[in-house]
Amino acid sequence: MKNNNKTGVIGVIITIVVLVVVVIVSQIGIENNSMFGNVISTLFTPVQNGLSQIAYRMSKTTSIADIEVLKKENEQLKAENAELKESQRELEVVKAENDVLKEYQNLQEKFSAFTTVSGLVIERSYSNYDKIVVINLGASDGIAINMAVVCGEGLVGHVISVTEHTAKVQTLADTASTISANISTSDQSILVKGTIGVSQELKATSIPAEATIMQGDRVTTSGLGGIYPKGILVGTISETVNTKNQTDRYAIVMPSVNFNTVDTILVITSANTENN
């Protein structure tokens, strides 16, 4: 038993001596300067190589383990990022819905004198002559032909055809559209028509000779004709054009509604008789 212990101690001492010699040889470069150095180098090179291999394997094992940890962390971060993006999309949807609801509420307050149904524009059909939008309201919602359609900016047009769940609306810019209107500086009525071409400009005609028209004058519905209630904003005068004959003069009206972008609308299903 004692011999075994002695043998172990001797082995440890020899190992330490060998390692010390290896370090000394490595530091002073003795293997390059003498025959003794060559012998030492020959004897201990395998030991050095073995130690280098052990160190390399340990570093490689550590690197592989680190890479696996990084992979797992990366996958976790990707999953968390996907969850955050999904939550952000859900919040954006909720915000958009809230914005639409607020817009509906504001519209209904603005047109509280009328009974209305709220809806959305779902399709547009524009050409040089036709300027029509389709809304997501139809007969099942109580919509009928000739009902006026408005939005927050003013008058859009009126319903010209109805299906069970949709309706076509002829906008003011359509060439077939003609409405009776008033100018803010005159109590007398004029006619406002759609124009040919891609422009949304409207043309005001039948202007009384004694009426004074100026750029910036507001144009509103007159309540005549049985379709549009009185007082709804149509647009503003952007230009007046005088002719040789005073009765033929006309004005360009810039509509208050952008028919290319309007989306949230109200259909007036009935109006207060005092506003007609």
Side-chain angles (χ1 to χ4, degrees), residues 244-266:
K244 292 181 179 180
N245 189 343
Q246 183 72 355
T247 58
D248 292 334
R249 66 176 175 155
Y250 64 92
I252 302 301
V253 178
M254 184 57 64
S256 57
V257 176
N258 186 335
F259 305 113
N260 293 324
T261 59
V262 60
D263 51 7
T264 306
I265 54 89
L266 290 180

Side-chain angles (χ1 to χ4, degrees), residues 178-184 186-193 203-208 211 213 218-222 224 234 237 249-251 253:
T178 300
I179 70 170
S180 176
N182 290 131
I183 302 172
S184 56
S186 174
D187 292 332
Q188 294 174 301
S189 62
I190 61 173
L191 295 179
V192 178
K193 302 177 180 180
K203 184 177 181 180
T205 62
S206 300
I207 302 171
I213 299 178
R218 287 164 54 93
V219 179
T220 58
T221 53
S222 67
L224 302 176
V234 173
I237 301 293
R249 66 176 175 155
Y250 64 92
V253 178

Side-chain angles (χ1 to χ4, degrees), residues 4-270:
N4 290 336
N5 291 335
K6 289 180 179 180
T7 301
V9 171
I10 292 171
V12 170
I13 293 172
I14 293 172
T15 301
I16 293 172
V17 171
V18 169
L19 292 174
V20 170
V21 173
V22 170
V23 172
I24 294 172
V25 170
S26 299
Q27 293 296 323
I28 66 175
I30 194 172
E31 66 273 17
N32 295 323
N33 297 320
S34 66
M35 183 181 297
F36 176 72
N38 292 333
V39 173
I40 294 298
S41 177
T42 301
L43 290 174
F44 290 104
T45 294
V47 177
Q48 287 180 306
N49 291 339
L51 292 173
S52 297
Q53 287 292 328
I54 292 172
Y56 171 75
R57 289 175 182 174
M58 289 179 66
S59 64
K60 186 175 181 181
T61 302
T62 303
S63 298
I64 292 174
D66 290 342
I67 289 172
E68 291 300 321
V69 170
L70 289 173
K71 282 183 178 179
K72 290 180 180 179
E73 291 178 349
N74 188 42
E75 292 300 322
Q76 184 177 355
L77 288 172
K78 284 182 178 179
E80 291 175 355
N81 188 43
E83 291 177 1
L84 288 173
K85 285 183 176 179
E86 183 62 27
S87 298
Q88 183 179 2
R89 281 193 292 268
E90 291 175 356
L91 287 174
E92 288 173 352
V93 169
V94 171
K95 183 180 181 300
E97 291 175 348
N98 286 338
D99 289 343
V100 171
L101 289 175
K102 286 180 180 178
E103 191 170 354
Y104 281 147
Q105 184 177 359
N106 292 336
L107 274 175
Q108 288 169 345
E109 290 176 358
K110 184 174 183 177
F111 294 96
S112 59
F114 311 108
T115 302
T116 59
V117 181
S118 57
L120 293 171
V121 172
I122 58 175
E123 187 179 337
R124 305 175 202 275
S125 177
Y126 291 162
S127 68
N128 285 338
Y129 296 92
D130 301 323
K131 297 177 180 66
I132 293 171
V133 297
V134 179
I135 59 175
N136 65 341
L137 300 173
S140 61
D141 304 291
I143 307 304
I145 292 175
N146 286 338
M147 286 183 173
V149 179
V150 297
C151 69
E153 291 74 29
L155 185 62
V156 176
H158 72 280
V159 176
I160 57 173
S161 68
V162 179
T163 67
E164 189 66 19
H165 301 293
T166 64
K168 284 186 178 180
V169 178
Q170 182 185 79
T171 69
L172 300 182
D174 191 282
T175 53
S177 172
T178 300
I179 70 170
S180 176
N182 290 131
I183 302 172
S184 56
T185 54
S186 174
D187 292 332
Q188 294 174 301
S189 62
I190 61 173
L191 295 179
V192 178
K193 302 177 180 180
T195 56
I196 296 175
V198 296
S199 172
Q200 297 191 40
E201 291 179 345
L202 309 176
K203 184 177 181 180
T205 62
S206 300
I207 302 171
E210 65 275 16
T212 301
I213 299 178
M214 299 180 63
Q215 185 177 355
D217 285 349
R218 287 164 54 93
V219 179
T220 58
T221 53
S222 67
L224 302 176
I227 295 179
Y228 302 110
K230 184 177 181 180
I232 300 175
L233 182 62
V234 173
T236 56
I237 301 293
S238 63
E239 181 185 357
T240 59
V241 181
N242 294 313
T243 62
K244 292 181 179 180
N245 189 343
Q246 183 72 355
T247 58
D248 292 334
R249 66 176 175 155
Y250 64 92
I252 302 301
V253 178
M254 184 57 64
S256 57
V257 176
N258 186 335
F259 305 113
N260 293 324
T261 59
V262 60
D263 51 7
T264 306
I265 54 89
L266 290 180
V267 178
I268 297 176
T269 56
S270 64

